[in-house]
Amino acid sequence: MQKAYQKSEHEIYLENEAGERIAEILFPEVEPKVYCIQRTFVDDSLRGQGVAGTLMELAVQAIQEQGGTVTATCSYAQHWLEGCIKTIPVHLKEAQ
């Protein structure tokens, strides 16, 4: 089954047939051209299918397309970004 990711200005998400969000990533612009990944969520029914990683890839791509820099307060996002720090412009911020 192909997943249809929905995109808006500062979020990417998946909905089930009932219109409920079953996965999401939120990345508001916290400073000019600095986008902070604040939340990643994946429903238990999707765990282990690479959905969180795909959300991260899509978010980073969207941020780069806007000429932005990535930061994160979400612990999952911080860990994911640390593995990619040599290939994308990233500024990591400690979770609060």
Side-chain angles (χ1 to χ4, degrees):
M1 177 178 120
Q2 176 123 355
K3 295 172 180 58
Y5 292 90
Q6 306 295 314
K7 297 180 183 181
S8 63
E9 188 175 13
H10 300 296
E11 64 183 351
I12 299 169
Y13 57 93
L14 283 173
E15 291 181 342
N16 63 15
E17 296 79 22
E20 301 167 324
R21 287 198 182 185
I22 54 174
E24 70 179 2
I25 188 164
L26 308 176
F27 50 97
E29 187 173 15
V30 293
E31 297 175 27
K33 298 290 187 187
V34 178
Y35 298 83
C36 182
I37 299 174
Q38 297 178 343
R39 174 179 162 80
T40 55
F41 162 75
V42 176
D43 186 78
D44 288 340
S45 66
L46 297 174
R47 299 255 167 105
Q49 298 179 37
V51 173
T54 298
L55 286 170
M56 286 296 301
E57 290 171 6
L58 292 170
V60 169
Q61 179 182 4
I63 292 166
Q64 288 179 326
E65 287 172 358
Q66 297 175 48
T69 300
V70 181
T71 186
T73 55
C74 167
S75 59
Y76 174 82
Q78 288 177 334
H79 178 76
W80 190 92
L81 289 167
E82 286 171 358
C84 299
I85 202 158
K86 291 184 174 71
T87 60
I88 58 175
V90 175
H91 172 262
L92 297 180
K93 181 178 175 180
E94 292 294 319
Q96 306 209 356

